[in-house]
Amino acid sequence: MDLESVAYSNSIKKESWKTVLTLAYQSLGVVYGDLSTSPLYVYKSTFAEDIQHSETNEEIFGVLSFVFWTLTLIPLLKYVFIVLRADDNGEGGTFALYSLLCRHARVSLLPNTQLADEDLTEYTKDGIVANDKKAVGSSLKYVLEKHRGLQRVLLVLALIGTCMVIGDGVLTPAISVFSAVSGLELSMSKEQHRYVEVPVACIILIFLFALQHYGTHRVGFLFAPVVMTWLLCISAIGIYNIIHWNPHVYEALSPYYMFKFLKKTQRGGWMSLGGILLCITGSEAMFADLGHFSQLSIKIAFTFLVYPSLILAYMGQAAYLSKHHILESDYRIGFYVSVPEKIRWPVLVIAILQAVVGSQAVITGTFSIIKQCSALSCFPKVKIIHTSSKIHGQIYIPDINWTLMLLCLAITVGFRDTKRMGNASGLAVITVMLVTTCLMSLVIVLCWRKSVVLAICFIFFFGSIEALYFSASLIKFLEGAWVPIALSFIFLIVMYVWHYGTIKKYEFDVQNKVSINWLLSLGPTLGIVRVRGIGLIHTELVSGIPAIFSHFVTNLPAFHQVVVFLCIKSVPVPHVRAEERFLVGRVGPKEYRLYRCIARYGYRDVHKDDVEFEQDLVCSIAEFIRSDTSKCGLELNNIEDDAKMTVVGTSASKLEGVRMCEDDLDSCQMEGTSELREVKSPEKLKKRVRFVVPASPEIDLTAKEELQELMEAREAGMAFIMGHSYVRAKRGSSWIKKVVINYGYDFLRRNSRGPTYALSIPHASTLEVGMIYNV
């Protein structure tokens, strides 16, 4: 069964309450693992250096008030009630917002966009078409579409948010596991603990990353129970501490205590906001992981379980600390000191399991967002392994996995304390939230058609809160906050260089397309011997004849009977329906047997394996031949017109149309094909390919001959022809462009996966020809 069809059909089913509650339960292990871990290190990071715990309790009550209102305003109000509504056909995250904007305003910098893409079902949202000139905020849309510099700024903004998410994928496992293991400090001396904590944390991290290639589906059923147990555990401990130590701690929820806190602590209190900020780490996951669940399920899980449990946990810790002012050192201010001694060891075990679950969710999210970046030409091609054939979106990227592990271990060994890890993690988290706020303000105007004043109020209210936390985190630059900046800067350079090089390479292809007159002058034989088989020429062009084709025809003594110019492109939607997968058309007259096929994928779509893709490709061409009503003499003016291409679905999506059978039997058994007739290929071949076509409407003789040739070509085999490009900056280019293209892009190209790997193409049937691109 087609996985993408299942994913789509599931998304449009009306959800029952049982389904919603089941999804809400499952979301605990995927969405809220990171957010639920934060009580382990918030108070410890906040009181690490900038402020001291005093007998007046103004500090601890002020911190509790800040935690309460931060959790209420950011995750609850901003994300649950506002941002979750800005989904991209059910998908969320930074790139989902950017994709949404690209469809409602022509700000996409993807090189091979087409007008035909706007006809995709998921291209429109809620009946709003991207090119509506009477929409609210049309002047803003006009400015964005007119100035290419603003489009680059928008792309860089989305990439910065993405890079910070990747940086968080490095920092969150380190601080979560390290904080969970820090519970050992209460059972041994500080000197002993120093030599135990780091090795244990490193062993757990190595074990965590080593298990990634097995996929989360094998142990995923344990994630939700672990998080549920953890939330019930910390809320129960919180209730116990409130009742036993300070029942009046609820008074600290008043905003008045925030004012008293800042008045007393002043600059130290402002700097301590970097620690308080950690209480909302993982909030972005509610939006980023929206595609795996539903809005309602995520809202229910957070509002009725996660949010109350976290508030009770923080109140319980504050209640305990309000009655314990004389501690051995600030080193012991943390989560475990408030846990009753009798249950401390079981809580430690649950905390370590919870840290692993929270880290797993962040690592999986990092894999997912890198896949999105790669699909939208913003990251080099990497090896992507789908770890589950049943659960959509579960992937594993080996190169990224081991890179994250090494960086995690370096952070753990290098910092060795939650203070600097917290400073680093806090800056990454708040930067992503600031980017989301900026993009959301544009979505409010361009996509939701709301007033510009409303968008300004949104960015002013939430932007002010986040800017306050951002400044408090940025001031800790030398105390750990430099890490996410350095990591995001490196990833941003990689992404932008790859994107820039890809665009320049595409522009070179467009400028050096072969003239159709040259093709027509060769005649149907192309001036060479046409041998049986299908020649599949991979190209980035969506129209015209690539220059590499003239190179083949000029230098090769023979070429294939059927030639297909294949373009595999990504469109700014999360998923492309199976019935809208291919665009098929002709290049030149019918007798040339030259076809163009554009396979369209969304940034979250699963690419099929080579065998299934080949079958879908051949069937789509056969269906185009059957349904083509054009005459033999195609008008030259319309040869490169996108409107002449036909939308064809995959073989699994078509109830009617051409079907292909590849077997050694004498007949093709298919249900519901009593009115179909077969066009058979010669009996002498061992491998028989047959097209089963509908009896009505009747196809003409030329179409039958064309289908016959296509079958014979398929039986003979398919060869994949690739252009191995060497991109160089042309003479006269600036030194910056020469460095970016000749060294940066060339290095990334040589160390990334080629198109043969991306298409799962067997190397035995691949022909690569080198070409130099002077861009």
Side-chain angles (χ1 to χ4, degrees):
M1 183 175 288
D2 194 352
L3 182 61
E4 60 204 6
S5 301
V6 174
Y8 180 79
S9 62
N10 288 340
S11 67
I12 62 175
K13 287 182 180 178
K14 187 175 181 181
E15 295 176 328
S16 63
W17 276 108
K18 181 179 179 181
T19 304
V20 170
L21 293 177
T22 302
L23 288 174
Y25 172 72
Q26 293 173 348
S27 70
L28 294 175
V30 177
V31 178
Y32 299 109
D34 185 16
L35 183 61
S36 302
T37 313
S38 55
L40 287 171
Y41 45 77
V42 168
Y43 283 112
K44 190 171 184 178
S45 298
T46 304
F47 287 93
E49 186 177 80
D50 303 309
I51 56 176
Q52 301 296 323
H53 181 38
S54 65
E55 294 187 4
T56 61
N57 287 328
E58 290 182 351
E59 293 85 0
I60 191 63
F61 287 165
V63 170
L64 175 60
S65 184
F66 264 104
V67 167
F68 172 76
W69 287 105
T70 302
L71 277 171
T72 302
L73 293 176
I74 303 298
L76 186 62
L77 180 58
K78 176 186 171 183
Y79 280 95
V80 170
F81 290 107
I82 301 177
V83 175
L84 284 181
R85 294 178 56 228
D87 64 297
D88 182 12
N89 293 287
E91 299 291 339
T94 304
F95 259 100
L97 290 177
Y98 179 71
S99 168
L100 206 57
L101 291 171
C102 288
R103 300 205 306 277
H104 287 77
R106 300 183 188 279
V107 296
S108 175
L109 293 177
L110 287 176
N112 50 5
T113 55
Q114 295 173 280
L115 288 175
D117 297 337
E118 297 183 10
D119 295 329
L120 292 169
T121 303
E122 293 197 7
Y123 204 91
T124 57
K125 179 177 171 63
D126 299 330
I128 300 175
V129 185
N131 57 1
D132 190 351
K133 296 181 180 179
K134 296 182 180 180
V136 177
S138 57
S139 57
L140 174 61
K141 175 183 173 183
Y142 174 77
V143 171
L144 288 173
E145 291 179 347
K146 183 179 179 181
H147 296 89
R148 196 166 181 83
L150 292 178
Q151 298 173 15
R152 291 194 181 98
V153 170
L154 196 61
L155 175 64
V156 170
L157 188 65
L159 291 181
I160 289 174
T162 302
C163 292
M164 284 297 182
V165 171
I166 297 173
D168 193 36
V170 174
L171 296 166
T172 294
I175 190 173
S176 298
V177 173
F178 192 86
S179 298
V181 174
S182 66
L184 296 171
E185 68 188 14
L186 298 179
S187 60
M188 59 184 68
S189 65
K190 186 174 180 178
E191 289 72 20
Q192 293 176 325
H193 174 255
R194 183 182 303 172
Y195 296 105
V196 173
E197 187 176 34
V198 174
V200 172
C202 290
I203 290 172
I204 294 175
L205 286 172
I206 293 173
F207 178 75
L208 172 64
F209 284 98
L211 289 179
Q212 292 301 310
H213 74 280
Y214 291 107
T216 57
H217 66 285
R218 298 181 187 275
V219 292
F221 66 94
L222 294 174
F223 287 179
V226 168
V227 177
M228 172 77 83
T229 304
W230 170 252
L231 289 172
L232 294 177
C233 176
I234 61 176
S235 57
I237 294 172
I239 292 173
Y240 168 80
N241 284 330
I242 292 171
I243 296 174
H244 189 263
W245 297 110
N246 191 349
H248 299 286
V249 72
Y250 68 89
E251 297 175 358
L253 302 182
S254 169
Y256 173 69
Y257 283 88
M258 290 192 291
F259 172 75
K260 289 181 64 177
F261 171 76
L262 292 176
K263 183 178 179 180
K264 179 180 180 180
T265 57
Q266 297 181 356
R267 188 175 187 274
W270 168 62
M271 295 180 67
S272 69
L273 293 179
I276 297 173
L277 164 66
L278 297 177
C279 71
I280 54 175
T281 56
S283 299
E284 186 73 20
M286 285 191 288
F287 186 46
D289 294 326
L290 182 60
H292 300 294
F293 304 97
S294 65
Q295 289 187 29
L296 186 58
S297 63
I298 290 179
K299 289 178 179 179
I300 289 175
F302 181 80
T303 307
F304 294 102
L305 180 60
V306 179
Y307 177 75
S309 298
L310 291 176
I311 297 300
L312 288 173
Y314 288 117
M315 289 177 66
Q317 290 185 61
Y320 177 87
L321 293 173
S322 67
K323 299 299 182 181
H324 296 78
H325 305 97
I326 304 176
L327 299 174
E328 293 183 13
S329 67
D330 292 337
Y331 183 75
R332 285 177 175 254
I333 292 183
F335 171 77
Y336 289 105
V337 73
S338 64
V339 178
E341 191 172 352
K342 293 182 180 179
I343 61 171
R344 199 165 282 169
W345 279 103
V347 171
L348 174 64
V349 174
I350 298 173
I352 292 176
L353 292 175
Q354 166 64 25
V356 170
V357 171
S359 302
Q360 174 64 56
V362 174
I363 295 168
T364 304
T366 304
F367 292 159
S368 178
I369 203 165
I370 286 178
K371 177 181 179 292
Q372 295 177 35
C373 293
S374 181
L376 295 176
S377 302
C378 291
F379 199 85
K381 302 296 181 184
V382 291
K383 180 181 181 181
I384 298 177
I385 300 173
H386 296 274
T387 57
S388 175
S389 60
K390 298 180 180 179
I391 303 176
H392 181 73
Q394 289 195 355
I395 60 174
Y396 167 65
I397 306 177
D399 300 335
I400 300 300
N401 182 67
W402 302 122
T403 301
L404 290 179
M405 187 192 76
L406 293 176
L407 291 173
C408 256
L409 294 175
I411 294 295
T412 305
V413 175
F415 283 166
R416 301 189 180 192
D417 66 80
T418 55
K419 171 193 165 186
R420 287 183 288 178
M421 290 183 191
N423 294 337
S425 180
L427 183 61
V429 168
I430 200 62
T431 304
V432 176
M433 292 183 176
L434 273 171
V435 169
T436 300
T437 299
C438 294
L439 294 178
M440 268 300 302
S441 63
L442 294 176
V443 168
I444 290 173
V445 177
L446 297 177
C447 306
W448 292 355
R449 297 184 176 186
K450 302 296 182 181
S451 170
V452 176
V453 176
L454 184 62
I456 293 175
C457 292
F458 176 86
I459 196 172
F460 178 78
F461 181 74
F462 292 107
S464 299
I465 298 172
E466 291 161 359
L468 178 65
Y469 282 115
F470 180 79
S471 63
S473 297
L474 195 60
I475 202 69
K476 304 287 186 68
F477 180 82
L478 297 177
E479 301 173 32
W482 61 270
V483 172
I485 295 178
L487 290 176
S488 62
F489 180 75
I490 294 172
F491 279 106
L492 182 62
I493 292 296
V494 169
M495 289 180 178
Y496 199 81
V497 166
W498 183 262
H499 183 74
Y500 178 78
T502 302
I503 289 179
K504 290 300 178 182
K505 181 176 176 293
Y506 181 79
E507 291 175 351
F508 179 88
D509 285 335
V510 171
Q511 294 169 3
N512 291 273
K513 289 191 295 188
V514 176
S515 169
I516 188 65
N517 293 325
W518 172 84
L519 179 69
L520 295 175
S521 66
L522 297 176
T525 63
L526 302 180
I528 55 178
V529 178
R530 301 291 291 268
V531 297
R532 291 182 58 188
I534 298 177
L536 201 62
I537 301 178
H538 182 266
T539 176
E540 299 295 332
L541 294 176
V542 293
S543 63
I545 304 170
I548 195 172
F549 181 65
S550 64
H551 187 72
F552 293 146
V553 173
T554 305
N555 293 277
L556 296 178
F559 214 73
H560 298 88
Q561 176 184 5
V562 175
V563 177
V564 180
F565 297 103
L566 173 65
C567 173
I568 297 181
K569 58 176 284 189
S570 295
V571 289
V573 295
H575 303 285
V576 174
R577 290 188 182 186
E579 58 266 27
E580 300 174 326
R581 173 71 64 220
F582 295 104
L583 278 175
V584 185
R586 297 186 187 278
V587 179
K590 281 187 177 182
E591 58 268 20
Y592 280 58
R593 302 297 188 255
L594 301 179
Y595 306 94
R596 181 185 314 285
C597 186
I598 301 173
R600 300 178 292 183
Y601 289 89
Y603 55 81
R604 281 189 179 270
D605 273 333
V606 177
H607 288 233
K608 297 181 177 180
D609 59 67
D610 57 316
V611 176
E612 190 175 0
F613 180 80
E614 287 179 20
Q615 183 174 353
D616 285 342
L617 179 65
V618 175
C619 278
S620 68
I621 297 173
E623 175 62 22
F624 167 76
I625 294 171
R626 183 189 72 85
S627 59
D628 186 25
T629 58
S630 61
K631 298 180 179 179
C632 295
L634 195 65
E635 296 181 15
L636 299 184
N637 294 333
N638 294 329
I639 283 178
E640 297 185 9
D641 188 1
D642 290 342
K644 293 297 180 181
M645 302 194 73
T646 303
V647 177
V648 182
T650 61
S651 56
S653 68
K654 293 180 292 187
L655 297 178
E656 297 181 357
V658 176
R659 301 294 182 100
M660 185 175 74
C661 296
E662 290 183 327
D663 53 24
D664 298 322
L665 303 176
D666 293 332
S667 63
C668 180
Q669 302 295 330
M670 295 182 66
E671 295 182 2
T673 58
S674 57
E675 297 183 358
L676 304 185
R677 67 177 179 278
E678 300 176 1
V679 182
K680 297 186 178 181
S681 57
E683 298 291 336
K684 61 181 180 180
L685 296 172
K686 294 181 180 179
K687 178 183 178 183
R688 292 187 1 176
V689 177
R690 291 172 294 167
F691 290 132
V692 183
V693 300
S696 178
E698 188 73 20
I699 59 176
D700 57 25
L701 183 60
T702 58
K704 289 182 180 179
E705 293 176 353
E706 200 170 355
L707 285 173
Q708 179 72 26
E709 288 189 31
L710 182 63
M711 283 189 299
E712 292 174 354
R714 174 59 179 147
E715 287 174 346
M718 184 178 292
F720 296 85
I721 303 162
M722 306 285 177
H724 196 74
S725 58
Y726 297 90
V727 183
R728 291 290 181 268
K730 59 185 176 183
R731 291 184 179 181
S733 301
S734 64
W735 67 270
I736 296 179
K737 182 177 180 180
K738 290 181 179 178
V739 171
V740 169
I741 296 297
N742 296 350
Y743 298 99
Y745 182 76
D746 184 66
F747 174 80
L748 294 175
R749 182 194 58 78
R750 285 187 285 106
N751 290 277
S752 64
R753 304 284 177 173
T756 55
Y757 193 90
L759 299 177
S760 302
I761 295 171
H763 293 278
S765 59
T766 303
L767 173 64
E768 291 195 54
V769 178
M771 288 191 67
I772 297 178
Y773 287 71
N774 292 310
V775 299

